[in-house]
Amino acid sequence: MAATELRGVVGPGPAAIAALGGGGAGPPVVGAGGGRGDAGPGSGAASGTVAAAATGGPGPGAGGVAAAGSAPAPPTGGSGAGGSGSAREGWLFKWTNYIKGYQRRWFVLSNGLLSYYRSKAEMRHTCRGTINLATANITVEDSCNFIISNGGAQTYHLKASSEVERQRWVTALELAKAKAVKMLAESDESGDEESVSQTDKTELQNTLRTLSSKVEDLSTCNDLIAKHGTALQRSLSELESLKLPAESNEKIKQVNERATLFRITSNAMINACRDFLMLAQTHSKKWQKSLQYERDQRIRLEETLEQLAKQHNHLERAFRGATVLPANTPGSVGSGKDQCCSGKGDMSDEDDENEFFDAPEIITMPENLGHKRTGSNISGASSDISLDEQYKHQLEETKKEKRTRIPYKPNYSLNLWSIMKNCIGKELSKIPMPVNFNEPLSMLQRLTEDLEYHELLDRAAKCENSLEQLCYVAAFTVSSYSTTVFRTSKPFNPLLGETFELDRLEENGYRSLCEQVSHHPPAAAHHAESKNGWTLRQEIKITSKFRGKYLSIMPLGTIHCIFHATGHHYTWKKVTTTVHNIIVGKLWIDQSGEIDIVNHKTGDKCNLKFVPYSYFSRDVARKVTGEVTDLSGKVHFTLLGTWDEKMECFKVQPVIGENGGDARQRGHEAEESRVMLWKRNPLPKNAENMYYFSELALTLNAWESGTAPTDSRLRPDQRLMENGRWDEANAEKQRLEEKQRLSRKKREAEAMKATEDGTPYDPYKALWFERKKDPVTKELTHIYRGEYWDCKEKQDWSSCPDIF
């Protein structure tokens, strides 16, 4: 193939691919229409000759049907050439982007696939990319450079160390491509009937036999028509030979012509039926084979996913078996509890590279151990103890001290594929998501966890300098994300009207109340007040976007913090939370974006930047930086730290600049000004077995007396899940969701009836919060109206709806 022809089938150049979001921009000298400059003399023809010699047909550009995304996984080891191993492997330079240019990568050519890795050692676990040569075009640029593209979806710009090395790779690639194309063509044209089931063969044979019989009937009819037509024409000819009037001869001639035309039409019909039968016999096997191939592919895909789920479960059990010793005897409750407590230590991202997650790792225990090994502060609870009795035990223990443990995460496997299969064809709003994806806390309780480091606000309330106060408020803002680093499971979605209270007035000087004020879109209002001189309130709406490999969670709403003594009123918004590896791989969470904390009384401002994690960055992971400025924009403090560990501040000292003017000295240049604002508390012992809950989170779902009947602690599905009874929790969860749907439909019907009748209708209103315009931000938001704690003191819950 000529070089110009070869460039013509390459497709869009790297610039076009980059514009479409297909990857980094290619190296310079980009042809916008197709190709990347002229290939060297004879290079395209040489490559085409290699492919033609191997296949007996044309060179590059042969078609295929395999998509790049559906290619099988590349090999993870082996070297050399020939046999079933790699056809070729070695180092090549791959273009990445204009900043980093060409980077050295280890390439492996095997089974018509070209894969690359960062290093040879990486072949064991991580493939960086794979391109299917059956649909790829190979273009030689110059003595060392060549391009592999599959029509725009993937394009590799590669460079060899020498011209000889480049030619070796191009030759190997062309031969591999020719072989892949040939195998693809043979697969399409093969008449092999092994994949066709016996039932399908019998049905096909019966159909062909019926068609043959019908064609034979048509053939017999054709013979009869021809015989009778000939006789009719002979009779008409004899009539013409007789001496009849001229008018009769004319009529006989017309009848003769029509009879001839009828015989010709009948013959044409018979021939068409015979041709149809021949085509059916020729192509029916291929069509049947294609259909059966698709069926087999679907079955193999289902079996593969099932096998992956089983392997995941097996690896998980093996991993836990290697680190957690089993109980000696089923009856030894105490020893079993002690041993289940001695699990792994804190798990880091690097330590769990081999752990596979299809979904948040929440699994349940065998039935015979489900209630003996609770791991909570319920000591001596037998398997037949009722929930009410457990609640009484918890209540008695809670009066003494806050609980420090909850029942361990049960050892129950989750088959993600079986859940997905059961959801096919169902309405999205009616798909019941199992509790396997959850943690035993509601979103309202998760929102209350923002108060984990409430002492930061206590310190801020004592500050006389508003700029120093702003530093502590900023540290409090960052601290609210520290509990999310390992918490990959989702909290329960609150029911409309559900509430959660946290009364720590005696121990910590504050009390908090949350209420679910809207269901579509989901929104929760939160109000916390402290006798140490501050009030915190917020309304958060959660929106999310699934982007294939990750899920972006964007909290909408403003958080307010008011200090009573000074009247300083601060507001800020939350950053975006991203959950990575939703489909395959280990789930991990990142926070990214900027937060502007504004003091509406003084005009002071703090800008916090949450740096997103980058695989290529050498910077500290989960880094947060910030600056505290006054109304004029002058920087007084700089903040530095991570959202999962600590935050420090540095006072900026003004110094004399080179030109005699004022300059500023960054805080990290003056170590003596360093102040530790906040440091994360260590997780409780064996937190990895308790959903990575913090000390506060472990106490949030503990039973308390006197709470409202809508409190999250009373939610039955959440309580059943916490106690390891997941099947019952799933059934209870479906019941609650169906009850909520019926309530919503009832409200909608009442609203429609009121509209038709022309009568006023009051929409749903929150019980403890009132929707009104915020005096500071001018936004419509839910603000606490009071009365909850008075009702609790009187135990008057008559206004609470029945939601559980």
Side-chain angles (χ1 to χ4, degrees):
M1 180 182 290
T4 54
E5 295 173 351
L6 189 59
R7 289 197 304 275
V9 297
V10 170
I17 296 167
L20 292 173
V29 195
V30 175
R36 298 170 26 82
D38 291 335
S43 58
S47 301
T49 305
V50 173
T55 61
V65 296
S70 62
T76 57
S79 61
S84 58
S86 303
R88 183 173 180 80
E89 59 183 32
W91 292 104
L92 287 172
F93 292 91
K94 180 180 179 295
W95 177 266
T96 55
N97 53 52
Y98 281 106
I99 297 175
K100 296 190 176 182
Y102 283 96
Q103 297 290 318
R104 194 164 177 255
R105 297 289 182 260
W106 182 262
F107 279 80
V108 176
L109 175 60
S110 177
N111 299 325
L113 300 173
L114 180 65
S115 309
Y116 73 93
Y117 310 83
R118 278 196 161 189
S119 63
K120 189 173 182 181
E122 200 180 54
M123 291 172 60
R124 291 191 297 269
H125 54 82
T126 305
C127 176
R128 299 291 170 177
T130 301
I131 191 167
N132 193 331
L133 295 178
T135 58
N137 298 293
I138 304 164
T139 309
V140 176
E141 278 197 299
D142 53 33
S143 60
C144 296
N145 291 22
F146 59 100
I147 301 172
I148 304 174
S149 173
N150 63 358
Q154 288 176 294
T155 301
Y156 293 171
H157 299 273
L158 306 175
K159 182 167 68 173
S161 58
S162 65
E163 184 175 2
V164 175
E165 183 69 11
R166 185 266 298 163
Q167 191 56 44
R168 287 175 180 170
W169 271 102
V170 170
T171 302
L173 289 168
E174 293 286 8
L175 290 173
K177 175 187 173 176
K179 185 176 180 181
V181 172
K182 184 177 180 181
M183 291 176 62
L184 196 61
E186 290 176 352
S187 174
D188 288 343
E189 296 174 2
S190 173
D192 185 18
E193 298 179 0
E194 292 180 359
S195 61
V196 183
S197 64
Q198 190 61 37
T199 303
D200 292 336
K201 285 183 179 180
T202 304
E203 183 180 353
L204 178 62
Q205 291 172 356
N206 290 337
T207 303
L208 291 175
R209 193 178 297 112
T210 303
L211 285 173
S212 300
S213 175
K214 296 299 180 183
V215 171
E216 289 177 359
D217 292 343
L218 288 172
S219 181
T220 302
C221 292
N222 178 63
D223 294 340
L224 291 173
I225 290 172
K227 179 180 178 181
H228 294 306
T230 303
L232 178 60
Q233 285 182 339
R234 189 183 305 114
S235 299
L236 291 172
S237 299
E238 292 174 354
L239 286 174
E240 287 179 353
S241 62
L242 296 176
K243 293 181 179 180
L244 294 174
E247 185 178 351
S248 299
N249 287 334
E250 189 66 26
K251 291 290 185 182
I252 292 173
K253 187 176 181 181
Q254 291 178 1
V255 172
N256 194 6
E257 290 175 354
R258 289 177 182 175
T260 303
L261 182 62
F262 176 72
R263 185 181 63 181
I264 294 171
T265 304
S266 300
N267 289 336
M269 181 185 69
I270 295 298
N271 291 334
C273 292
R274 185 176 288 108
D275 292 341
F276 170 76
L277 177 61
M278 292 178 64
L279 287 172
Q281 290 173 336
T282 303
H283 295 285
S284 60
K285 292 181 180 180
K286 182 178 178 180
W287 294 335
Q288 189 69 21
K289 182 176 179 297
S290 299
L291 178 61
Q292 187 62 32
Y293 175 77
E294 295 298 330
R295 291 174 179 168
D296 292 344
Q297 285 289 87
R298 185 196 64 194
I299 293 172
R300 275 196 291 270
L301 180 60
E302 291 181 359
E303 291 174 350
T304 301
L305 289 173
E306 291 277 8
Q307 188 64 26
L308 282 174
K310 292 177 181 178
Q311 290 176 2
H312 168 217
N313 190 23
H314 174 73
L315 289 172
E316 188 178 73
R317 290 173 183 269
F319 177 72
R320 292 186 176 276
T323 53
V324 182
L325 296 175
N328 294 330
T329 59
S332 59
V333 180
S335 62
K337 184 168 64 177
D338 292 338
Q339 291 173 0
C340 79
C341 293
S342 59
K344 304 170 285 183
D346 288 347
M347 297 164 61
S348 65
D349 293 343
E350 291 78 18
D351 294 335
D352 288 334
E353 279 298 320
N354 296 327
E355 196 162 355
F356 178 85
F357 287 79
D358 267 337
E361 183 198 1
I362 307 177
I363 39 186
T364 199
M365 68 180 72
E367 185 66 26
N368 59 344
L369 298 177
H371 309 295
K372 292 184 179 181
R373 188 186 66 176
T374 64
S376 70
N377 53 8
I378 311 171
S379 57
S382 61
S383 60
D384 57 349
I385 192 168
S386 67
L387 274 178
D388 292 337
E389 291 172 342
Q390 291 184 24
Y391 292 165
K392 290 177 182 178
H393 280 293
Q394 289 181 351
L395 180 57
E396 293 172 0
E397 297 272 344
T398 303
K399 290 179 180 178
K400 299 176 184 177
E401 60 181 11
K402 301 299 179 185
R403 68 178 183 179
T404 58
R405 290 187 299 173
I406 61 172
Y408 279 1
K409 214 167 34 173
N411 194 22
Y412 212 28
S413 63
L414 169 65
N415 190 333
L416 181 64
W417 175 239
S418 63
I419 295 172
M420 292 170 62
K421 286 197 298 184
N422 294 333
C423 294
I424 294 174
K426 292 185 179 179
E427 185 182 341
L428 189 61
S429 62
K430 295 185 178 180
I431 295 175
M433 296 304 293
V435 299
N436 305 56
F437 295 105
N438 290 62
E439 62 181 17
L441 288 179
S442 76
M443 188 63 196
L444 301 181
Q445 292 165 315
R446 193 77 175 257
L447 201 59
T448 307
E449 284 189 66
D450 285 357
L451 299 172
E452 174 103 19
Y453 299 95
H454 61 90
E455 63 270 9
L456 292 171
L457 295 181
D458 295 342
R459 291 183 210 162
K462 297 176 182 178
C463 290
E464 296 180 359
N465 186 315
S466 63
L467 295 169
E468 293 179 3
Q469 186 180 71
L470 183 51
C471 290
Y472 282 105
V473 174
F476 173 78
T477 303
V478 175
S479 70
S480 63
Y481 295 99
S482 63
T483 61
T484 65
V485 62
F486 297 121
R487 301 271 289 278
T488 54
S489 304
K490 67 181 288 293
F492 279 79
N493 292 330
L495 303 173
L496 184 62
E498 185 175 335
T499 61
F500 178 74
E501 67 159 73
L502 186 66
D503 190 353
R504 297 290 171 86
L505 204 59
E506 295 182 3
E507 303 97 318
N508 305 117
Y510 72 89
R511 56 187 181 184
S512 164
L513 176 67
C514 291
E515 181 181 2
Q516 187 75 0
V517 296
S518 173
H519 187 61
H520 287 295
H526 179 210
H527 179 89
E529 55 189 14
S530 171
K531 62 183 181 181
N532 295 323
W534 54 265
T535 297
L536 185 77
R537 60 180 174 87
Q538 58 182 318
E539 180 183 348
I540 298 296
K541 299 180 180 69
I542 302 296
T543 61
S544 60
K545 288 186 178 180
F546 180 61
R547 305 180 186 273
K549 292 183 180 180
Y550 61 92
L551 177 71
S552 294
I553 302 169
M554 293 151 287
L556 305 177
T558 304
I559 305 171
H560 299 254
C561 183
I562 304 101
F563 292 96
H564 306 160
T566 59
H568 291 163
H569 189 142
Y570 298 91
T571 61
W572 67 90
K573 297 178 183 290
K574 290 181 176 287
V575 295
T576 299
T577 299
T578 305
V579 184
H580 294 268
N581 295 340
I582 291 293
I583 303 299
V584 174
K586 179 185 175 181
L587 288 170
W588 60 279
I589 290 178
D590 194 20
Q591 316 288 347
S592 60
E594 294 189 17
I595 295 179
D596 285 322
I597 308 173
V598 180
N599 185 337
H600 291 272
K601 182 178 180 181
T602 64
D604 300 338
K605 183 182 292 186
C606 176
N607 176 258
L608 292 173
K609 294 181 180 179
F610 288 68
V611 181
Y613 174 77
S614 173
Y615 186 83
F616 303 99
S617 175
R618 296 182 180 180
D619 210 343
V620 179
R622 311 181 184 100
K623 183 178 179 180
V624 180
T625 61
E627 289 184 341
V628 175
T629 59
D630 58 18
L631 183 60
S632 65
K634 181 180 178 182
V635 178
H636 291 265
F637 293 93
T638 60
L639 306 178
L640 183 63
T642 59
W643 54 263
D644 66 324
E645 285 294 338
K646 63 181 180 180
M647 283 298 293
E648 299 173 332
C649 78
F650 304 86
K651 188 173 181 62
V652 175
Q653 304 289 346
V655 296
I656 303 301
E658 296 179 358
N659 299 326
D662 286 343
R664 69 184 189 187
Q665 180 184 12
R666 292 293 180 180
H668 58 270
E669 297 173 0
E671 288 296 321
E672 64 274 8
S673 67
R674 178 198 300 265
V675 176
M676 177 70 72
L677 296 173
W678 160 76
K679 187 175 182 180
R680 180 174 66 91
N681 297 328
L683 289 174
K685 185 180 180 181
N686 301 314
E688 67 276 6
N689 298 323
M690 299 183 290
Y691 311 93
Y692 287 99
F693 281 177
S694 63
E695 290 182 359
L696 175 64
L698 289 173
T699 66
L700 291 180
N701 208 43
W703 179 268
E704 291 186 12
S705 62
T707 59
T710 54
D711 196 88
S712 297
R713 299 176 181 89
L714 303 177
R715 183 165 173 164
D717 54 346
Q718 188 173 302
R719 182 66 62 181
L720 287 166
M721 181 197 174
E722 182 182 86
N723 288 319
R725 298 159 65 174
W726 283 18
D727 291 338
E728 297 172 60
N730 279 319
E732 191 65 23
K733 184 171 182 287
Q734 291 186 37
R735 182 189 69 80
L736 291 175
E737 290 174 350
E738 187 60 31
K739 183 177 181 179
Q740 183 171 234
R741 289 191 198 99
L742 293 176
S743 299
R744 187 182 73 248
K745 290 179 180 178
K746 183 180 178 181
R747 288 194 300 271
E748 292 172 351
E750 291 175 353
M752 186 175 295
K753 186 175 185 300
T755 303
E756 294 174 353
D757 298 342
T759 57
Y761 174 76
D762 293 332
Y764 177 83
K765 292 182 180 179
L767 187 58
W768 310 110
F769 290 81
E770 182 180 3
R771 192 166 188 260
K772 56 185 180 181
K773 182 181 288 188
D774 186 90
V776 176
T777 62
K778 308 303 179 184
E779 299 173 345
L780 279 176
T781 185
H782 282 83
I783 299 177
Y784 179 58
R785 71 170 77 206
E787 302 178 2
Y788 178 86
W789 302 108
D790 293 336
C791 290
K792 181 181 180 181
E793 186 176 354
K794 299 174 185 176
Q795 285 298 295
D796 178 14
W797 304 117
S798 56
S799 57
C800 292
D802 176 21
I803 60 174
F804 298 142

